[in-house]
Amino acid sequence: MASFDLNSHLESVYATFPEGKRKPIIGITSNFFEGEATLARVYYQQVVDAGGIPVLIPPVSDTDVVVNSLSLIDGLLLSGGADFNPLWAGEEPSPQLKRVNNVRDLPELLITQLAYNRQIPILGICRGIQTMAMALGGKVMQDIATGLSAPPVEPDGSEKEKEKKKKNKDKEATPPPPPPVAIKHSQDGDRDLLSHSIQIEQDSILHRIYKTERLYVNSFHHQAVSEPGPHFRVTAKAPDGVIEAMESSEFKPFLGVQWHPECLAEEGRKLFEWLVAQANNFQLAKRLHRRILTLDTHCDTPMFFHQDIKFDQRDPRILVDLHKMTEGQQDAVIMAAYLPQPKMGETFSSKVAFDVQTPMEYANFIFDKIEAIVRSNRKYISIARTPADLFEDKRKERKSIMFAIENGIALNHDVENVKHFSQRGVVYITLCHNGDNDICDSAKGCDTNHGVSKFGEKVIREMNRHGIMVDLSHASEQSFYDALEISRTPIVCSHSSCKALCDSPRNLSDDQLRALAKKGGVAHITLYPGFLVKEGEATIRHAIEHLNHAVRIMGIDHVGLGTDFDGDGGVRGLANSSELINFTLALLKNKYSERDIQKIWGGNWLRVMAQVQSLAK
């Protein structure tokens, strides 16, 4: 019989190449019951029908297992099941608490937090949405009925006084609406029975999926998320106010629902199709990062060296470390030795945290610190000085750090020191910072030199001679144009955004962008919030708007990204190095080609660096 003939089944596999279509891999957390890891068929069948490859993740808390599992998947499905042990939330058990599944708790909390760090798309279902909240700073009601009937919390004295004054001021204020009436959240009927409605927020993933504000769902739970936490926002509620869905508040593909879409056939499949589509995008971005070099051209992490930061740990005090670079799939970063500009009457030594006397001594001290970090982690990170070094590090699966100086006062007013810093491996010098110096005037200066000084001319020419890139971020407009004329090699702006979109003296006008491109230079959009928007919160969307504007003005060959992480750079959606793959996802969404993305992620910068270094004498 043909159905029991293995070769007949293999014929279609062997008849084409490749043997199977590449599809995103969806890891599914399994249940644990009576000593067995189990998973209801509807979960993995929905993933298959949605176009994904389901892989069961057993409830194992071994961190090597968890981390390696995450490296294999493109999306994560957190399945439903029993209650969490409330001790994970620092709470004692309620009398209404039902069976907990302690075997699942730690593995799922670990995998959720680590998947979040890696930007892996997540769909949480029932217990899964509660896992997302528990792992990422939210809270869960141990019992819905108890939670809804709890008495309101009395405001403290000051709040009482405020309320009293408000009532006295407005006698005719309308009374608050009555509390919602509780509904049944654990139906007795079949699992595909629609038992109650939910109200969906318009500006939400759910609304885009279902194109409605009211949806009917099934319901099998007595617990629910009570507070989504700092990383999520509520996007759907039941008529009694119980949270039925939440999604990322950081423009990331994280979605949790309280009902069980795996049991709702085609209507439920829409959520699985969303997850598979997000996982496919993530897979494309990961593959892209394997092929191209990703370089952030400006970070200020050395500003935290006085706090004894741990670069080989996931240190919450800094935005760039080995963990975060790996999570965000970032290859390289240019670290700046930032030198604060002393005001009149101040000494340089009074401005820095270490016992050094001169700016040059301080810059060398910072580079010594970076080299010490690299020596202690030489298997995973290296100092790079040329584009070839960067590509060699990537081939050997090492991260790269390059040296830069932010503020030319590091030269100690001696042009001969340009050669010294060239020999140390400095790839660019930002001529000034937030104040005029002996080289040029700052964008926030007082027009002391009327642009680039006579000494500054010598510095620029010496930088050309020794293969150091001239960086005009922070410079005044006159200094910018002066340097553009003086330098015989293209200049760069390592971390500046577009003045047309945000009128800051630190940003570049369209005329400056055109002039820079005409001379072969590059301008790298920065994530400093005040250079992206004048009012309101800056987000990843604003960063992309600035990039798109720069591309329209300069062309694709003259743009890039300089985050200014640890120098107050970082926005919602691109908050640290772990989130830099989100920049690639945004570029793909904006229809940039792989070649374009390669240029944006450092290709343009490395072209200029190679040219500057090749013309050194």
Side-chain angles (χ1 to χ4, degrees), residues 432-436 441-447 474-476 504-506 528 531:
C432 63
H433 193 253
N434 290 339
D436 302 341
D441 294 332
S442 165
K444 296 186 176 181
C446 304
D447 196 30
H474 285 285
S476 70
S504 164
R506 268 282 284 110
Y528 185 87
F531 302 156

Side-chain angles (χ1 to χ4, degrees), residues 347-419:
T347 62
F348 179 79
S349 60
S350 69
K351 303 283 289 183
V352 294
F354 296 104
D355 184 19
V356 296
Q357 297 303 310
T358 69
M360 183 176 180
E361 185 182 349
Y362 180 75
N364 281 315
F365 180 85
I366 292 298
F367 298 144
D368 290 343
K369 285 278 191 181
I370 296 173
E371 287 174 344
I373 289 171
V374 170
R375 278 195 302 273
S376 63
N377 297 280
R378 63 174 60 91
K379 184 177 179 181
Y380 306 107
I381 198 161
S382 173
I383 303 293
R385 292 172 170 81
T386 67
D389 290 344
L390 292 173
F391 288 111
E392 178 69 3
D393 282 342
K394 184 172 178 68
R395 186 180 71 80
K396 292 182 175 179
E397 298 185 342
R398 291 189 304 232
K399 305 299 181 189
S400 301
I401 295 177
M402 286 185 147
F403 291 169
I405 290 173
E406 189 171 22
N407 198 346
I409 63 171
L411 299 176
N412 281 359
H413 199 70
D414 186 348
V415 73
E416 293 297 321
N417 287 329
V418 171
K419 179 180 179 180

Side-chain angles (χ1 to χ4, degrees), residues 144-157:
I144 292 172
T146 306
L148 289 179
S149 62
V153 177
E154 284 290 328
D156 62 26

Side-chain angles (χ1 to χ4, degrees), residues 502-522:
C502 180
D503 189 7
S504 164
R506 268 282 284 110
N507 283 342
L508 300 172
S509 69
D510 287 357
D511 286 343
Q512 286 177 286
L513 293 173
R514 291 187 189 97
L516 185 60
K518 187 176 180 180
K519 291 278 190 172
V522 292

